[in-house]
Amino acid sequence: MIAPFWADVVTTKGGAIWYRQTTSKNVLREASLDVRNAFPEFPNFSARWMFVATWEKVPFYGTKNKNITNTFQSVLLSDGRHSFVRFNYYNITWTSATTSGGKSSNGLGGTEASCGFNSGFGNYHYNVTNNGYRNISVLDLPHKTNVKQPGVLMFRTDGITIQEPTGRTTKGGESEWVKMNFDEVCFGARNDAYGSFVNHVKGGRVAAIKLVYLRGFVRCANSAVHNSRWGCSGIKKLSHFPFNVIGTNQNNRVLFPKEEILVYSTMWYNLPFADNQHSNELVFTGDYFNSFHFPLNDQMKIWYGEDLANHSERDNHGRVCVDVYVKFI
């Protein structure tokens, strides 16, 4: 059994659970690179199969407050011989359903959820939160890691025992995230207030982009209840497309996300497994990104989409600062 969060959830009060297999070459390549760097003893690992299960904003069984939710994900990878699991934890705010002694008001107390692996025969199990590597609460999972990426835990699962990583996903050749800006890149929500930097680090073909939140807020309406890190919150029309951060070249040609996923003339979009209010980073890759060449000395701009479109920006407010990271092919 593989359990990123073993507890009683209920989706009749909100949230969603879904799963999928993928054969996307870009996604499999990115996932395989992460495995190779986390487990350098497998330098030739190339996933042939990937299964993704996501629990998004799920409340706990017995809740009296449907707004107390958890979001997490399990990713299974295999090349037919070796297998690996990646747990992604975005937001954990409750630990126990009422069936496990948790309080109906907040989902805390009682017996915490288990996270980990069980052989099913009673002879072997591995608890992610309480073992020789760490002793933490499940509430800490979005901030902990064994691969230098907060909220991410990776394991090898095809052996007799569960293996923790021996390397680091932030280091190692072609899959290394390279920070591109020396100063903060800050963008506003109106009046051509884009942020920018010039590439003085490295030129090459880009496989993925990561924006890391530093501070600030933006919004697409007057009220502060719509404050967001990456778009706009609480607008019904945008509930399925709440992101509005766009990257362009110096001539304002859109570089990311992929233009095919943009909706409306003001460039809104959805980015699975991210939250426009709370996510600490946005990663553009796979089906949401088209690779492009980024030469040395070229400028990249970061925009609020409505500002770039020069449309519906009059009531926009705020400013957000980020760091920009690139993975080169």
Side-chain angles (χ1 to χ4, degrees):
M1 180 182 69
I2 298 171
F5 195 89
W6 184 255
D8 291 329
V9 304
V10 58
T11 56
T12 56
K13 295 182 180 293
I17 303 172
W18 65 85
Y19 58 89
R20 66 185 176 97
Q21 295 186 67
T22 182
T23 57
S24 168
K25 292 182 180 180
N26 287 336
V27 173
L28 290 176
R29 182 174 64 249
E30 284 297 310
S32 297
L33 289 172
D34 282 346
V35 168
R36 292 175 201 167
N37 286 285
F39 299 87
E41 64 271 38
F42 295 95
N44 299 315
F45 178 81
S46 181
R48 291 163 39 185
W49 175 86
M50 181 172 171
F51 180 87
V52 183
T54 304
W55 292 257
E56 182 177 18
K57 296 182 179 179
V58 289
F60 60 91
Y61 183 86
T63 183
K64 291 185 177 179
N65 185 346
K66 64 181 181 180
N67 294 318
I68 298 175
T69 64
N70 290 348
T71 298
F72 54 94
Q73 183 183 73
S74 180
V75 181
L76 283 60
L77 290 158
S78 179
D79 65 356
R81 180 182 179 186
H82 300 295
S83 300
F84 299 86
V85 168
R86 173 174 173 147
F87 291 156
N88 297 318
Y89 296 97
Y90 158 65
N91 189 41
I92 303 295
T93 60
W94 62 266
T95 65
S96 319
T98 56
T99 49
S100 299
K103 297 178 182 178
S104 60
S105 59
N106 58 17
L108 302 177
T111 303
E112 278 198 357
S114 296
C115 309
F117 308 86
N118 195 307
S119 66
F121 299 102
N123 60 343
Y124 183 74
H125 59 87
Y126 187 82
N127 191 325
V128 168
T129 56
N130 188 5
N131 54 47
Y133 290 89
R134 66 193 69 85
N135 184 13
I136 60 174
S137 166
V138 295
L139 293 173
D140 297 323
L141 287 168
H143 314 290
K144 300 298 182 179
T145 181
N146 58 9
V147 290
K148 302 300 180 181
Q149 297 180 57
V152 178
L153 294 163
M154 294 179 67
F155 308 90
R156 179 188 172 195
T157 57
D158 60 272
I160 297 175
T161 61
I162 299 299
Q163 180 185 337
E164 297 258 354
T166 55
R168 306 194 304 179
T169 59
T170 54
K171 297 291 182 183
E174 60 184 344
S175 68
E176 181 181 358
W177 282 113
V178 180
K179 185 180 178 184
M180 303 303 295
N181 57 297
F182 295 104
D183 299 317
E184 295 179 347
V185 179
C186 301
F187 62 93
R190 61 181 178 181
N191 299 329
D192 293 335
Y194 63 84
S196 68
F197 66 93
V198 174
N199 180 6
H200 294 305
V201 178
K202 177 181 177 180
R205 191 151 195 88
V206 176
I209 291 276
K210 177 170 66 175
L211 304 181
V212 177
Y213 175 82
L214 299 176
R215 57 187 171 83
F217 70 87
V218 285
R219 64 176 184 261
C220 63
N222 284 317
S223 174
V225 301
H226 303 296
N227 281 0
S228 167
R229 293 181 174 183
W230 307 108
C232 202
S233 299
I235 302 295
K236 186 175 181 180
K237 178 183 177 182
L238 301 175
S239 59
H240 297 295
F241 308 100
F243 295 91
N244 199 226
V245 179
I246 305 290
T248 74
N249 67 7
Q250 56 197 16
N251 298 317
N252 297 337
R253 180 177 66 83
V254 174
L255 299 175
F256 61 89
K258 183 185 293 187
E259 289 190 85
E260 290 86 339
I261 73 170
L262 301 179
V263 299
Y264 311 128
S265 59
T266 44
M267 302 183 176
W268 293 89
Y269 57 94
N270 182 43
L271 200 62
F273 322 129
D275 185 282
N276 76 90
Q277 284 184 290
H278 305 295
S279 285
N280 290 322
E281 60 184 42
L282 293 187
V283 178
F284 299 88
T285 188
D287 295 334
Y288 301 88
F289 181 79
N290 282 327
S291 179
F292 63 91
H293 186 66
F294 190 22
L296 279 170
N297 301 315
D298 263 25
Q299 182 188 44
M300 181 180 290
K301 300 178 180 179
I302 309 297
W303 291 82
Y304 196 70
E306 289 191 342
D307 189 22
L308 173 60
N310 197 28
H311 185 69
S312 300
E313 62 178 299
R314 179 176 297 180
D315 57 350
N316 293 357
H317 297 272
R319 185 172 182 261
V320 164
C321 296
V322 301
D323 283 330
V324 182
Y325 292 79
V326 165
K327 279 189 179 182
F328 290 97
I329 296 174

